[in-house]
């Protein structure tokens, strides 16, 4: 009995090593390029596993789709798309101002990774888990079914200071945000279409309360914020600790559609960086305003462009080939 058990364990280990070798071979062939069939031979069930976990998480809380999408974005803008946002430790990106008490969904990623380690151990990177989780967060919210390019490997270090400096803040001007995207190889269209991710999810009062009182010497409330929305937000946030949340897309909080852009036309963007796409005063806002109008009138164009921009963003400085590693636990290096 003991010998048979030992043989089974040895055979399982050999099989796992062979499966991992298939992906290493694919990485060598890819030569630094992400592909849509990276795991076809070494972990063909990867998308089904991710989809099942995301579906379960969103069934419990619809907002989780938006949270997983945000994790992928916040990962890619710091160190590139390398899963560094998932690392724990004193230098963790989780502790950076844009993520602290805000970024969420880590437990869902842990559950996905655990399932994948059972099915194909040592094969699927945490960075690819984030990309796929974001895709299914979008798709299961009613968004487009775009092809995710895969083959990323995981970084070895987090970058808390980079998270503090590289992630656009809601208070930034459109010109500043456009430049930050440009630094990542993304253009103005990407700025507007990826901002459309705010068609799902919620934001804390702390991120928009500056628009509700003492806005300027001339106006207590941000004049680009609809008066009725401002009043309801004041009631929501009054007397709280800043952690109360409001829908980013009022009237269509959980559906991935172009309603977000229609809200901007009516001064109902929740964050300054949202409404600034249509009401901003700087030169870059002229281009973003035209795109807001286009997407508000053409939902299919928005959904199509969104998929393209997500693929583009997911290709920000990925680690491929033999760089980095495949972390067994997304919270720590091997």
């Amino acid at each position: 009995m003991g010998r048979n058990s030992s043989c089974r364990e040895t055979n399982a280990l050999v099989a796992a090593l062979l499966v991992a070798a298939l992906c290493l071979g694919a990485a060598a062939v890819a030569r630094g390029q992400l592909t849509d069939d990276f795991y076809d031979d070494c972990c063909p069930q990867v998308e089904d596993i991710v989809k099942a976990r995301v579906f379960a998480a969103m069934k419990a809380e619809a907002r989780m789709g938006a949270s997983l999408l945000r994790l992928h974005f916040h990962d890619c803008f710091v160190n590139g798309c390398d899963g560094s946002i998932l690392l724990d430790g004193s230098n963790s990106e989780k502790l950076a101002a844009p993520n602290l008490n805000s970024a969420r969904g880590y437990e869902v990623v842990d559950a996905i990774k655990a399932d994948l380690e059972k099915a194909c151990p040592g094969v699927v990177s945490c960075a690819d888990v984030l990309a796929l989780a974001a895709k299914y967060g979008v798709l299961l919210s009613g968004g487009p079914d775009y092809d995710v390019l895969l083959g990323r490997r995981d970084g070895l270090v987090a970058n808390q200071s980079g998270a503090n400096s590289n992630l656009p803040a809601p208070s930034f001007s459109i010109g500043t945000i456009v430049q930050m995207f440009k630094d990542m190889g993304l253009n103005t269209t990407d700025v507007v279409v990826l901002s459309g991710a705010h068609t799902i999810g919620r934001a804390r009062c702390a991120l928009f309360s500056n628009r509700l009182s003492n806005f300027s010497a001339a106006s207590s409330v941000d004049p680009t914020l609809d008066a009725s929305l401002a009043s309801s937000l004041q009631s929501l946030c009054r007397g709280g600790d800043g952690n109360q949340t409001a829908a980013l897309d009022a009237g269509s909080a959980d559906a991935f559609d172009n309603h977000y852009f229609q809200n901007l036309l009516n001064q109902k963007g929740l964050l300054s960086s949202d409404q600034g796409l249509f009401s901003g005063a700087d030169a870059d806002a002229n281009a973003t305003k035209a795109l807001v109008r286009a997407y508000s009138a053409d939902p299919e164009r928005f959904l199509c462009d969104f998929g393209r921009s997500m693929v583009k963003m997911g290709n920000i400085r990925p680690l491929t080939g033999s760089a980095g590693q495949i972390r067994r636990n997304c919270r720590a290096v091997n």
Side-chain angles (χ1 to χ4, degrees):
M1 179 71 76
R3 180 177 297 175
N4 289 340
S5 176
S6 177
C7 285
R8 284 195 296 271
E9 290 175 1
T10 300
N11 290 339
L13 176 60
V14 170
L17 290 172
L18 288 173
V19 167
L22 283 171
C23 271
L24 287 174
V29 171
R31 293 180 181 175
Q33 297 298 314
L34 304 180
T35 66
D36 62 1
D37 60 354
F38 188 84
Y39 296 109
D40 281 6
D41 293 326
C42 55
C43 193
Q45 64 272 56
V46 58
E47 295 215 23
D48 290 337
I49 289 172
V50 175
K51 183 178 181 180
R53 277 292 181 181
V54 174
F55 178 82
M58 291 179 64
K59 187 176 181 180
E61 182 190 16
R63 178 189 174 193
M64 188 53 68
S67 298
L68 294 169
L69 173 56
R70 188 166 181 259
L71 275 184
H72 181 41
F73 175 84
H74 280 216
D75 180 47
C76 289
F77 265 61
V78 183
N79 289 358
C81 306
D82 69 343
S84 60
I85 193 173
L86 302 173
L87 289 168
D88 288 337
S90 59
N91 192 44
S92 175
E93 293 165 29
K94 299 175 182 179
L95 302 178
N99 296 324
L100 187 63
N101 298 321
S102 177
R104 56 201 299 276
Y106 301 114
E107 294 80 7
V108 178
V109 174
D110 290 339
I112 294 170
K113 181 62 173 172
D115 288 349
L116 288 169
E117 285 299 304
K118 291 176 183 176
C120 31
V123 169
V124 182
S125 69
C126 299
D128 277 350
V129 169
L130 284 177
L132 286 169
K135 167 191 171 162
Y136 285 110
V138 169
L139 181 63
L140 295 172
S141 298
D145 184 7
Y146 57 93
D147 288 332
V148 176
L149 301 182
L150 301 166
R152 301 168 190 81
R153 288 170 63 84
D154 297 321
L156 305 178
V157 294
N159 185 356
Q160 190 176 120
S161 62
N164 280 318
S165 60
N166 292 356
L167 293 169
S171 58
F172 287 177
S173 70
I174 297 304
T176 298
I177 293 173
V178 166
Q179 183 59 54
M180 295 177 79
F181 271 63
K182 185 177 179 181
D183 292 342
M184 297 294 167
L186 304 174
N187 60 30
T188 301
T189 298
D190 299 316
V191 171
V192 179
V193 76
L194 292 175
S195 294
H198 287 173
T199 182
I200 54 176
R202 306 179 70 83
R204 295 179 300 134
C205 287
L207 297 179
F208 57 83
S209 58
N210 64 303
R211 304 183 71 198
L212 304 179
S213 63
N214 302 315
F215 181 74
S216 69
S219 177
S220 176
V221 176
D222 184 345
T224 68
L225 179 62
D226 173 78
S228 62
L229 178 59
S231 178
S232 66
L233 293 174
Q234 286 170 334
S235 297
L236 170 71
C237 299
R238 185 177 294 117
D241 61 1
N243 286 318
Q244 308 94 310
T245 62
L248 284 160
D249 183 6
S252 182
D254 297 322
F256 201 99
D257 53 26
N258 70 329
H259 189 265
Y260 163 84
F261 295 103
Q262 295 169 359
N263 268 348
L264 299 187
L265 298 183
N266 295 305
Q267 296 189 315
K268 292 183 178 181
L270 183 66
L271 306 178
S272 292
S273 55
D274 290 327
Q275 192 58 50
L277 295 172
F278 187 73
S279 304
D282 53 30
D284 291 285
N286 293 329
T288 62
K289 186 173 184 176
L291 286 164
V292 168
R293 288 191 183 279
Y295 291 137
S296 70
D298 190 345
E300 292 304 317
R301 178 179 173 184
F302 165 55
L303 296 178
C304 183
D305 285 359
F306 185 83
R308 280 199 290 258
S309 286
M310 283 297 293
V311 171
K312 190 175 175 182
M313 186 196 75
N315 203 28
I316 296 175
R317 300 194 305 275
L319 299 176
T320 58
S322 60
Q325 63 181 208
I326 305 299
R327 296 205 296 265
R328 291 186 294 269
N329 176 351
C330 291
R331 294 176 180 264
V333 297
N334 296 341

PDB file of all heavy atoms in Angstrom, residues 78-89:
ATOM      1  N   VAL A  78       1.914  49.748 -12.145  1.00  0.00           N
ATOM      2  CA  VAL A  78       3.057  49.746 -11.222  1.00  0.00           C
ATOM      3  C   VAL A  78       3.920  48.525 -11.538  1.00  0.00           C
ATOM      4  O   VAL A  78       3.467  47.392 -11.373  1.00  0.00           O
ATOM      5  CB  VAL A  78       2.594  49.696  -9.752  1.00  0.00           C
ATOM      6  CG1 VAL A  78       3.789  49.772  -8.816  1.00  0.00           C
ATOM      7  CG2 VAL A  78       1.607  50.827  -9.464  1.00  0.00           C
ATOM      8  N   ASN A  79       5.114  48.715 -12.009  1.00  0.00           N
ATOM      9  CA  ASN A  79       6.022  47.610 -12.373  1.00  0.00           C
ATOM     10  C   ASN A  79       5.569  46.842 -13.604  1.00  0.00           C
ATOM     11  O   ASN A  79       6.146  45.809 -13.927  1.00  0.00           O
ATOM     12  CB  ASN A  79       6.188  46.597 -11.229  1.00  0.00           C
ATOM     13  CG  ASN A  79       6.989  47.128 -10.055  1.00  0.00           C
ATOM     14  OD1 ASN A  79       7.476  48.258 -10.076  1.00  0.00           O
ATOM     15  ND2 ASN A  79       7.140  46.310  -9.031  1.00  0.00           N
ATOM     16  N   GLY A  80       4.531  47.297 -14.292  1.00  0.00           N
ATOM     17  CA  GLY A  80       3.972  46.516 -15.378  1.00  0.00           C
ATOM     18  C   GLY A  80       3.057  45.428 -14.841  1.00  0.00           C
ATOM     19  O   GLY A  80       2.870  45.281 -13.630  1.00  0.00           O
ATOM     20  N   CYS A  81       2.476  44.629 -15.740  1.00  0.00           N
ATOM     21  CA  CYS A  81       1.491  43.613 -15.344  1.00  0.00           C
ATOM     22  C   CYS A  81       2.210  42.377 -14.817  1.00  0.00           C
ATOM     23  O   CYS A  81       2.379  41.379 -15.534  1.00  0.00           O
ATOM     24  CB  CYS A  81       0.614  43.253 -16.538  1.00  0.00           C
ATOM     25  SG  CYS A  81      -0.189  44.661 -17.335  1.00  0.00           S
ATOM     26  N   ASP A  82       2.629  42.424 -13.556  1.00  0.00           N
ATOM     27  CA  ASP A  82       3.472  41.360 -12.996  1.00  0.00           C
ATOM     28  C   ASP A  82       2.945  40.773 -11.697  1.00  0.00           C
ATOM     29  O   ASP A  82       3.643  40.017 -11.020  1.00  0.00           O
ATOM     30  CB  ASP A  82       4.888  41.887 -12.761  1.00  0.00           C
ATOM     31  CG  ASP A  82       4.961  42.925 -11.636  1.00  0.00           C
ATOM     32  OD1 ASP A  82       3.891  43.474 -11.251  1.00  0.00           O
ATOM     33  OD2 ASP A  82       6.063  43.176 -11.134  1.00  0.00           O
ATOM     34  N   GLY A  83       1.712  41.100 -11.337  1.00  0.00           N
ATOM     35  CA  GLY A  83       1.134  40.557 -10.105  1.00  0.00           C
ATOM     36  C   GLY A  83       1.712  41.135  -8.834  1.00  0.00           C
ATOM     37  O   GLY A  83       1.449  40.627  -7.740  1.00  0.00           O
ATOM     38  N   SER A  84       2.468  42.235  -8.930  1.00  0.00           N
ATOM     39  CA  SER A  84       3.126  42.779  -7.736  1.00  0.00           C
ATOM     40  C   SER A  84       2.141  43.343  -6.725  1.00  0.00           C
ATOM     41  O   SER A  84       2.435  43.393  -5.527  1.00  0.00           O
ATOM     42  CB  SER A  84       4.157  43.846  -8.122  1.00  0.00           C
ATOM     43  OG  SER A  84       3.549  44.929  -8.811  1.00  0.00           O
ATOM     44  N   ILE A  85       0.945  43.733  -7.169  1.00  0.00           N
ATOM     45  CA  ILE A  85      -0.043  44.279  -6.232  1.00  0.00           C
ATOM     46  C   ILE A  85      -0.509  43.232  -5.226  1.00  0.00           C
ATOM     47  O   ILE A  85      -1.031  43.564  -4.154  1.00  0.00           O
ATOM     48  CB  ILE A  85      -1.260  44.855  -6.993  1.00  0.00           C
ATOM     49  CG1 ILE A  85      -2.126  45.716  -6.051  1.00  0.00           C
ATOM     50  CG2 ILE A  85      -2.087  43.753  -7.628  1.00  0.00           C
ATOM     51  CD1 ILE A  85      -3.236  46.463  -6.742  1.00  0.00           C
ATOM     52  N   LEU A  86      -0.300  41.972  -5.534  1.00  0.00           N
ATOM     53  CA  LEU A  86      -0.781  40.893  -4.671  1.00  0.00           C
ATOM     54  C   LEU A  86       0.179  40.534  -3.548  1.00  0.00           C
ATOM     55  O   LEU A  86      -0.190  39.816  -2.621  1.00  0.00           O
ATOM     56  CB  LEU A  86      -1.045  39.643  -5.516  1.00  0.00           C
ATOM     57  CG  LEU A  86      -2.047  39.811  -6.663  1.00  0.00           C
ATOM     58  CD1 LEU A  86      -2.082  38.560  -7.523  1.00  0.00           C
ATOM     59  CD2 LEU A  86      -3.434  40.144  -6.132  1.00  0.00           C
ATOM     60  N   LEU A  87       1.413  41.017  -3.627  1.00  0.00           N
ATOM     61  CA  LEU A  87       2.420  40.661  -2.630  1.00  0.00           C
ATOM     62  C   LEU A  87       2.147  41.321  -1.282  1.00  0.00           C
ATOM     63  O   LEU A  87       1.820  42.504  -1.217  1.00  0.00           O
ATOM     64  CB  LEU A  87       3.807  41.063  -3.115  1.00  0.00           C
ATOM     65  CG  LEU A  87       4.390  40.230  -4.267  1.00  0.00           C
ATOM     66  CD1 LEU A  87       5.632  40.913  -4.834  1.00  0.00           C
ATOM     67  CD2 LEU A  87       4.725  38.812  -3.796  1.00  0.00           C
ATOM     68  N   ASP A  88       2.287  40.561  -0.214  1.00  0.00           N
ATOM     69  CA  ASP A  88       2.213  41.110   1.137  1.00  0.00           C
ATOM     70  C   ASP A  88       3.598  41.599   1.563  1.00  0.00           C
ATOM     71  O   ASP A  88       4.604  41.316   0.909  1.00  0.00           O
ATOM     72  CB  ASP A  88       1.739  40.037   2.118  1.00  0.00           C
ATOM     73  CG  ASP A  88       0.262  39.709   1.955  1.00  0.00           C
ATOM     74  OD1 ASP A  88      -0.483  40.553   1.430  1.00  0.00           O
ATOM     75  OD2 ASP A  88      -0.139  38.593   2.352  1.00  0.00           O
ATOM     76  N   GLY A  89       3.647  42.324   2.688  1.00  0.00           N
ATOM     77  CA  GLY A  89       4.929  42.785   3.206  1.00  0.00           C
ATOM     78  C   GLY A  89       4.943  44.276   3.479  1.00  0.00           C
ATOM     79  O   GLY A  89       4.001  45.001   3.135  1.00  0.00           O
TER      80      GLY A  89
END
